[in-house]
Amino acid sequence: MHRRILTALLTLSVAGCATTKPAETPPAETPPAAQPQTQTPAQDAEAFRDQPPKPGNPPDLVLPTFEQAKLDNGLTVIVSTRKELPLVFVGIAFAAGVSQEPAAKLGVADLSYRMLLEGAGKRDTVALDNAFADLGVSPAMSVDPDGAFVGARVLTTNVDAAMSLLSDVVLRPTFDAKAFERRKKQQLGELVRRMGDPNFLAQQAYYQAVFGADHPYGHTSGGTPKTVEALTLADAKNFYTKNTGPRAAALIMTGDVTLQQAVEWGKKYFGGWKGGAVAPKPPPAPPAPPRQQVRVVPKPGLEQTVVLVGRPGLAAGHSDEYPLELATTVFGGFFGSRLNMNIREDKGYSYGANAHLGTRLGVGPLTAYAAVRQDVTGPALNEFIKELAGIKSNPITEKELAAAREGLIRAFPGAFETVEGLGGSAAQLYFHRRPMDEFKRSVEGLRDASAAEVQRVAESYLDPANMQVVLVGDPLVIQEQVTPLNLGKLTLVETPASDMAPASKSK
């Protein structure tokens, strides 16, 4: 393109410099009906640039419909029908998750549930994997604080075959000894890798700081090398037997399926499921005391410092949930939030800073996060505290509230783009014991929350005095830069690979 432009310019130059005057030709007569064309000034041609184009009308928000039924044995069935494509997601959601692990057996939930895909019925690990592959799928497994979920997306014509495999996985897992040792080694290897990740170390120390080491939410998933090393095959079997059964599980089907069809498949493949387990009660609400210390996970020489600031937030369904979601979003929940515009755009301390309200079956964490340059650890943490305090001294504006409201509501469809997304959303409804119209309630709650409500919860929950602080980085840098801030005693939190429980000592 550059060559064509250059050629055109050269041609014009040569034409302009030519000395030979071409022969004149008489001007053509203007037809009587023809009108002389009015030339538009050059500046008029650019006038459109003065006004940015107006956005079109936003598309109507269409939320999925979830339906629920119960089988005679107590198994919950949750369905969301979507007929556009011949695809169905089939899965089982279990009501017991990481929070149900005994303190001495951290990591057993992950190990137990993941053993379900290591052989079931008459199939070993390879045969089970091949059976799913024959359907063109690979089953997915997730283990969360409030539950676990296993399932796969299949063509509508393969639903019956997938349900047969899923029933083997859930009702007839083999818990083979050799497969258990292999899976255990994999989990230990993953833990060793995670122990070198500053973000994981920060998360470990953060959950203990916010919930307490003995609280069901006071630890991360997967356990520690020490606890996992001690787990036995019997431990994995016992956890599964104790915590699963039709009254503590839900059949999730989304996509090209109706509630009536799902109930029939549920009866066919899970109607004979027996077991005494029931869904666990929500964990107790932790206290939210004033901050007295700053917890430091030492990583000498780390070029960045991981900053986590937070406290216990809310359980799903709390009356303050929607106003606090809006307040948290204004504070740090999107790119234009106060925290990110300060830490990233104004100061250049980090690639990004964010905040999140993590509602759970019980009280979840309310967290602000950033990984900042080592040399600005103190100033960056000081800006966190300033922005938290500024919520009260500089109240949330209508413009900020409108941006947060629009962003949160418009994000909803993203969770429902696929049948897998619908399935995951249905599982969350089950884990948190929420009604089937929860997403409609959420949109209405975000729309209806008043500015006064949002400001009230912002001042109550985002008070910097009650925010715990965890830092992962060079301890000497942190001591030098954070001590003058007077945010509390610096407390070293040792997290060696052999044990998750920290030994603390004041500096």
Side-chain angles (χ1 to χ4, degrees), residues 461-476:
Y461 289 91
L462 297 177
D463 183 350
N466 291 335
M467 290 287 194
Q468 306 303 318
V469 176
V470 171
L471 304 174
V472 180
D474 191 301
L476 296 180

Side-chain angles (χ1 to χ4, degrees), residues 153-463:
R153 179 191 66 182
V154 297
L155 292 170
T156 305
T157 54
N158 291 334
V159 171
D160 202 71
M163 288 290 288
S164 178
L165 286 175
L166 187 63
S167 66
D168 271 349
V169 166
V170 173
L171 305 182
R172 292 171 286 277
T174 58
F175 281 96
D176 177 75
K178 289 184 178 180
F180 172 80
E181 291 301 326
R182 181 179 64 253
R183 171 57 66 180
K184 179 176 170 178
K185 287 181 180 179
Q186 290 176 350
Q187 189 158 324
L188 285 168
E190 175 63 14
L191 283 171
V192 170
R193 184 195 68 79
R194 292 166 77 185
M195 288 295 177
D197 181 356
N199 292 294
F200 176 69
L201 296 177
Q203 191 178 51
Q204 278 190 323
Y206 176 70
Y207 285 153
Q208 289 192 5
V210 170
F211 296 107
D214 297 328
H215 191 274
Y217 290 156
H219 60 279
T220 54
S221 65
T224 69
K226 181 178 180 180
T227 59
V228 173
E229 183 63 49
L231 294 176
T232 66
L233 179 60
D235 292 328
K237 283 184 177 180
N238 290 340
F239 180 89
Y240 187 72
T241 301
K242 177 183 177 182
N243 290 285
T244 64
R247 292 187 293 165
L251 169 63
I252 308 289
M253 300 190 75
T254 58
D256 187 17
V257 61
T258 66
L259 180 61
Q260 182 179 353
Q261 290 172 320
V263 168
E264 291 303 315
W265 268 312
K267 289 178 179 177
K268 179 179 179 181
Y269 290 104
F270 295 96
W273 190 7
K274 298 179 181 179
V278 295
K281 295 179 180 180
R291 180 185 61 257
Q292 296 181 337
Q293 58 184 321
V294 173
R295 293 169 173 83
V296 179
V297 181
K299 288 285 286 185
L302 195 66
E303 294 185 358
Q304 288 185 316
T305 301
V306 177
V307 181
L308 277 175
V309 178
R311 54 159 290 164
L314 298 174
H318 193 284
S319 59
D320 285 341
E321 180 178 356
Y322 307 127
L324 186 54
E325 185 75 47
L326 288 163
T328 304
T329 302
V330 170
F331 169 67
F334 69 115
F335 187 87
S337 67
R338 293 185 178 189
L339 184 64
N340 189 66
M341 295 303 287
N342 182 339
I343 297 294
R344 174 191 161 111
E345 294 299 290
D346 183 37
K347 303 296 191 305
Y349 291 161
S350 171
Y351 285 116
N354 60 73
H356 173 66
L357 176 63
T359 53
R360 299 179 178 180
L361 176 62
V363 172
L366 172 57
T367 310
Y369 163 87
V372 304
R373 299 198 325 262
Q374 179 204 73
D375 62 314
V376 294
T377 298
L381 179 56
N382 193 46
E383 294 304 318
F384 269 75
I385 302 301
K386 281 185 178 180
E387 289 296 346
L388 288 166
I391 290 290
K392 185 174 184 179
S393 60
N394 181 23
I396 294 171
T397 66
E398 287 290 346
K399 184 178 180 180
E400 289 177 314
L401 183 55
R405 203 188 309 268
E406 181 182 30
L408 288 172
I409 292 175
R410 289 197 180 188
F412 270 84
F416 313 127
E417 290 179 337
T418 64
V419 292
E420 299 99 310
L422 280 174
S425 298
Q428 292 301 314
L429 294 179
Y430 179 70
F431 293 155
H432 298 160
R433 323 278 169 82
R434 304 307 300 147
M436 293 297 101
D437 63 347
E438 173 69 4
F439 297 110
K440 178 176 178 290
R441 290 170 178 242
S442 296
V443 170
E444 292 173 349
L446 292 170
R447 281 177 177 162
D448 297 341
S450 69
E453 288 179 294
V454 174
Q455 185 63 34
R456 174 183 60 81
V457 299
E459 294 182 14
S460 176
Y461 289 91
L462 297 177
D463 183 350

